[in-house]
């Protein structure tokens, strides 16, 4: 599908405010339609990174996912599906949604720094069981914003998203950032070319392609060490075609821990494909214009 028809169709779909990108969740043999802030935020990121306009309705959707505590949740508090558990704020949703709202001018930089410190940076994992994956590091950021919980699942993709937020807000000096970067480096080294090992790095992401994409985004935001780490991930069997895999209609975007529930979103896949095509077209146009300019300068010399 060309970019122009998709752009017109997408603009029409987002006329109503707010607009959550449609996804489908598979729970056992049951498939249910769903609209959540997380998938919507990934769509916003795809548009913003390619220099494309982000419909206001998508940003309105992200704002609705802000909780009374200041962090962000997978769904708005008043629009959680009946079948879904009442999940607390979490580091991944907060990092992704908050950064996009900052980039769009919906949240001020100082307010974003305050939220990042109070909802992500202050919650770190002090220790792990003796039997644990070798890449885990004490002091990294916890997934859930829950009081009184000493241990938590650690997700490498979510950690990369947190590092992207901290770098974008000039908070890379905070405790936990160094430990998180060291953990991600150890995780990529441990996974190597093994798809199963790579998938185990992120309990909430069934496809490690999302980890590679998150590393790329963190590098773009200026997170220390992420550029080299993304290059290493991109050289692996599971990371080399991450962008292409993310545009497949059956791509598993996210899930509950280790695949009990899995979300897919053909709408997000089409949006990512459109954004990539638009970027390639823009790059080709710039190259052609530069070539024409070079020819003109040569002729004038």
């Amino acid at each position: 599908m060309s970019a122009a028809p998709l752009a017109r169709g997408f603009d029409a779909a987002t006329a109503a405010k707010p607009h959550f990108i449609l996804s489908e969740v598979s729970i056992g043999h049951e498939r249910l339609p769903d609209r959540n802030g997380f998938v919507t935020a990934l769509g916003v990121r795809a548009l913003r990174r390619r220099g494309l306009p982000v419909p206001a309705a998508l940003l309105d959707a992200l704002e609705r996912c802000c909780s009374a505590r200041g962090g962000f949740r997978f769904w708005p508090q008043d629009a959680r599906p009946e079948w879904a558990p009442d999940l607390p704020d979490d580091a991944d949703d907060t990092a992704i949604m908050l950064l996009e709202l900052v980039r769009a001018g919906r949240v001020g930089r100082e307010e974003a720094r305050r939220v990042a410190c109070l909802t992500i940076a202050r919650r770190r994992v002090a220790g792990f069981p003796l039997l644990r994956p070798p890449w885990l590091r004490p002091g990294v950021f916890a997934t859930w914003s829950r009081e009184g919980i000493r241990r938590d699942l650690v997700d490498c993709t979510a950690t990369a998203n947190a590092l992207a937020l901290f770098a974008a807000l000039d908070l890379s000096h905070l405790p936990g950032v160094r430990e998180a970067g060291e953990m991600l480096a150890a995780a990529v080294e441990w996974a190597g070319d093994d798809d199963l090992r790579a998938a185990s790095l992120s309990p909430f992401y069934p496809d490690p392609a999302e980890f590679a994409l998150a590393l790329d985004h963190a590098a773009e935001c200026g997170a220390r060490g992420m550029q080299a780490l993304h290059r290493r991930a991109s050289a692996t069997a599971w990371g080399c075609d991450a962008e292409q895999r993310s545009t497949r209609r059956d791509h598993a975007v996210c899930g509950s821990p280790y695949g009990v529930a899995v979300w897919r979103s053909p709408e997000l896949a089409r949006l990512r494909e459109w954004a990539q095509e638009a970027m390639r077209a823009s790059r080709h146009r710039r190259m052609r214009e530069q070539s024409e300019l070079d020819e003109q300068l040569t002729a004038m010399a």
Side-chain angles (χ1 to χ4, degrees), residues 76-196:
Q77 288 180 283
D78 61 352
R80 176 171 53 88
E82 292 182 359
W83 50 264
D86 186 12
L87 300 175
D89 302 4
D90 71 82
D92 206 17
D93 288 325
T94 299
I96 296 174
M97 296 184 204
L98 181 60
L99 181 54
E100 294 309 324
L101 290 172
V102 171
R103 298 290 199 198
R106 295 285 187 105
V107 176
R109 186 176 177 84
E110 289 309 309
E111 172 62 13
R113 286 166 60 91
R114 186 188 71 82
V115 171
C117 289
L118 293 178
T119 62
I120 302 177
R122 67 184 288 259
R123 291 183 171 87
R124 299 165 63 199
V125 182
F128 297 98
L130 183 62
L131 295 177
R132 66 179 189 271
W135 47 268
L136 280 174
R137 297 289 187 276
V140 298
F141 303 109
T143 295
W144 301 105
S145 296
R146 296 180 292 197
E147 301 294 345
I149 303 297
R150 296 188 61 188
R151 288 177 177 166
D152 203 344
L153 284 173
V154 173
D155 186 294
C156 285
T157 307
T159 299
N161 287 326
L163 292 183
L165 175 69
F166 291 142
L169 296 177
D170 294 324
L171 293 174
S172 294
H173 61 281
L174 292 177
V177 170
R178 176 181 57 81
E179 292 88 342
E182 291 174 353
M183 181 188 73
L184 295 187
V188 172
E189 180 70 23
W190 177 79
D193 268 335
D194 192 307
D195 287 345
L196 289 177

Side-chain angles (χ1 to χ4, degrees), residues 191-212:
D193 268 335
D194 192 307
D195 287 345
L196 289 177
R197 281 192 173 193
S200 74
L201 301 177
S202 302
F204 297 95
Y205 289 86
D207 190 334
E210 293 293 331
F211 182 33

Side-chain angles (χ1 to χ4, degrees), residues 196-246:
L196 289 177
R197 281 192 173 193
S200 74
L201 301 177
S202 302
F204 297 95
Y205 289 86
D207 190 334
E210 293 293 331
F211 182 33
L213 296 179
L215 290 173
D216 183 33
H217 178 248
E220 181 185 81
C221 290
R224 287 194 294 263
M226 293 303 107
Q227 189 171 34
L229 198 53
H230 175 248
R231 284 198 300 268
R232 289 169 58 189
S234 297
T236 65
W238 52 268
C240 63
D241 60 345
E243 284 202 351
Q244 180 184 356
R245 289 214 308 279
S246 74

Side-chain angles (χ1 to χ4, degrees), residues 9 29 58 61-62 127 141 150 154 167 221 227 254 265-266 277 283:
H29 297 293
L58 296 183
L62 301 191
F141 303 109
R150 296 188 61 188
V154 173
C221 290
Q227 189 171 34
C254 63
S265 175
E277 289 179 357
R283 183 183 300 157

